[in-house]
Structure formats: C-alpha cells, structure tokens
C-alpha cells in the first residue's frame, strides 16, 4: 500500500495488481490536488475503503483472487462505501457485455488501456469536484443546524426570563 497523504483530505483509491500500472496512474494523477492510495489487490482495496472516505476509486477489472467487478459489488453492499464512484480501468476488449457487467456492479465509467491521460485527469477531477461540493453542502447544512439549535436555546432562555417577572403578578392576581 502506497499512501501519499497530507494534502487536503481528498482521497482517491487506485487498485491494480500490476505495479507498472499503479506507477503510471500515480504519475498521470499526481498533478491533481488529492491524496492517492495505491493498492495491488481487491482485498487490500476493500480494507482501505473501510479505513477512510474516498472521493473516487479506479479499479482494474482483471485481478487474481478478487477481480474489480467483485470488489465493486462488495463496496456497493456496504452502506459506508456504496456511494464512492467507481471508474473501471481495463485492458479488456470493449464490448457491450463488459460494459453491462461493469455498470451492473456499480461502475460510473470505464477507461480502456492504454488510458488517455487527459481523459483520465478530466474524469477523476469531475469526481473530486463533486465530492468537494457535497462536502461543502454537508458542512453548511451542519452549521445551519447548529445555529438553529443555538437559536432555539436562546428563545427558550428569553421566554423563561420574560415569564419570571410575570409569575408573582399572576400569583397576586389569583389571590
């Protein structure tokens, strides 16, 4: 596992059993403002998915033990990882059956090797931007919810403080 962390909290997972492919993808994506986590098996990829949140994952389709389709299916079964966008990167022949199997296992896109670096960068950047936007919306919503709770507490306090002087008057008027 190679983890290039520390930039900005955006993590991208790359899973490929061929070291040369990992190095090539890392080089092509190094200019993006994201942290790259490189692993060489589906099992290692699933372990990494459980450790942290990823904005996108690039999966090789053909891997020993657990192929990309199987890893994608497992990722989709877990509520914590089901929404991570999956881009399959494959050297398989582009066929309708290949595409249907990939989309059926949760892929949002396919890239066929040899990968065009400009297309790769563009697609990954889109998912990084979407993730950043979703995170900003979630943070804004959480801030508004905190403000609403503070306002409710303030309203309760003011209401209580305003009723306090009226209690003796109410008691005298009852008497």
């Amino acid at each position: 596992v190679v983890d290039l962390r520390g930039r900005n909290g955006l993590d991208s997972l790359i899973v490929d059993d061929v070291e040369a492919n990992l190095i090539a993808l890392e080089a092509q994506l190094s200019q993006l403002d994201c942290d790259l986590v490189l692993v060489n098996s589906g099992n290692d990829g699933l372990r990494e998915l459980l450790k942290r949140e990823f904005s996108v994952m690039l999966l090789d389709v053909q891997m020993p033990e657990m192929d990309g389709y199987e890893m994608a299916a497992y990722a989709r079964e877990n509520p914590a990882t089901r929404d991570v966008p999956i881009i399959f990167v494959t050297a398989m022949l582009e066929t309708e059956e290949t595409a249907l199997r990939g989309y059926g296992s949760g892929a949002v896109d396919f890239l066929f090797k040899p990968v065009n670096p400009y297309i790769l960068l563009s697609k990954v950047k889109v998912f990084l931007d979407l993730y950043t936007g979703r995170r900003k919306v979630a943070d804004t919503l959480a801030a508004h919810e905190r403000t609403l709770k503070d306002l409710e507490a303030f309203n309760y306090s003011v209401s209580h403080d305003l009723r306090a002087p009226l209690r003796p008057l109410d008691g005298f008027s009852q008497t």
Side-chain angles (χ1 to χ4, degrees), residues 121-135:
L121 280 170
S122 296
K123 290 182 185 235
V124 171
K125 185 167 181 351
V126 164
F127 291 108
L128 294 174
D129 291 345
L130 286 171
Y131 179 84
T132 301
R134 281 193 315 267
R135 195 165 64 179

Side-chain angles (χ1 to χ4, degrees), residues 33-70:
D33 190 21
C34 70
D35 302 328
L36 302 174
V37 178
L38 312 174
V39 297
N40 58 14
S41 75
N43 286 322
D44 289 342
L46 289 173
R47 273 191 282 283
E48 290 299 320
L49 279 174
L50 296 175
K51 289 181 184 177
R52 68 183 124 230
E53 197 172 325
F54 287 96
S55 54
V56 64
M57 65 177 127
L58 301 170
L59 295 182
D60 182 24
V61 172
Q62 296 175 302
M63 294 185 288
E65 297 176 27
M66 179 188 305
D67 66 15
Y69 298 127
E70 189 178 358

